[in-house]
Amino acid sequence: MGDGPKHDHLDWEAVVLAARERARSRQARMVERFGLSGDVQYRWSMDDAQITWSRDAEVFLTGRLTMIGSVSLTQQTWLWSWANESLPHAVLGDIERVRQYGEENDFPVLPWPGFNHDPELVAEARMVAASVLDAEGLWAESTDDVQLHFLVHDLVLATERQ
């Protein structure tokens, strides 16, 4: 056993609870404020870490993406984006701060490069990442084999860019 501080699970639970409440309210506010339901289309890119939403082929909202991590559904594993060397640098944003936060507070799941997929643990990691990086929202994209998890930041309406 190491001589470092021991993980306090009650501290982790308190951080997760606060992060979950914050993420829920921010997500609801983002969807309501920007009308991100109904007939909305979106386009995203990891190369430039951008997402745009449109309606009737007119872009009305843009934002910046930070990739949190990914779940391999075939291998049943989670991989933090900061540990994934194949990702474009732009989409990593400040994700390294989440790993550092985990190290500083002795929350093991945050500085582990990956772990066995447990939906609740993945949800907790996503919520805490959103809190640490002050995200406006969470977003996910799924394929047959992989779930990609992102934070959304710096939302700007098309009318505000003019």
Side-chain angles (χ1 to χ4, degrees):
M1 285 271 158
D3 294 331
K6 303 292 182 224
H7 169 67
D8 184 331
H9 194 70
L10 291 178
D11 283 350
W12 172 249
E13 287 179 351
V15 166
V16 167
L17 181 62
R20 183 171 277 146
E21 289 305 312
R22 180 178 187 202
R24 281 183 184 150
S25 67
R26 283 186 165 213
Q27 189 80 12
R29 189 168 50 241
M30 180 182 77
V31 170
E32 182 180 331
R33 176 178 177 208
F34 298 111
L36 298 178
S37 60
D39 63 343
V40 176
Q41 293 80 44
Y42 61 88
R43 207 176 153 162
W44 61 282
S45 166
M46 281 202 269
D47 291 330
D48 63 4
Q50 295 292 309
I51 186 167
T52 60
W53 286 271
S54 60
R55 194 175 273 117
D56 299 324
E58 291 289 325
V59 172
F60 67 91
L61 182 66
T62 61
R64 179 174 58 86
L65 293 174
T66 298
M67 186 166 177
I68 307 167
S70 57
V71 173
S72 168
L73 298 174
T74 55
Q75 297 177 0
Q76 291 294 298
T77 56
W78 165 266
L79 178 65
W80 283 100
S81 62
W82 57 261
N84 187 340
E85 295 177 9
S86 70
L87 295 173
H89 181 74
V91 80
L92 298 177
D94 292 330
I95 196 66
E96 183 68 22
R97 284 183 31 214
V98 175
R99 185 192 62 73
Q100 292 168 347
Y101 178 80
E103 286 178 351
E104 291 166 5
N105 293 283
D106 198 34
F107 296 140
V109 71
L110 302 179
W112 293 343
F115 50 86
N116 289 335
H117 177 246
D118 173 316
E120 183 59 29
L121 192 54
V122 167
E124 291 174 358
R126 293 175 66 230
M127 300 298 169
V128 172
S131 182
V132 169
L133 297 183
D134 197 30
E136 291 183 62
L138 290 150
W139 180 70
E141 183 75 24
S142 293
T143 66
D144 291 338
D145 299 339
V146 178
Q147 293 174 343
L148 305 174
H149 297 274
F150 298 90
L151 300 174
V152 178
H153 312 269
D154 307 329
L155 292 171
V156 178
L157 287 167
T159 57
E160 295 173 356
R161 285 183 279 154
Q162 298 173 355

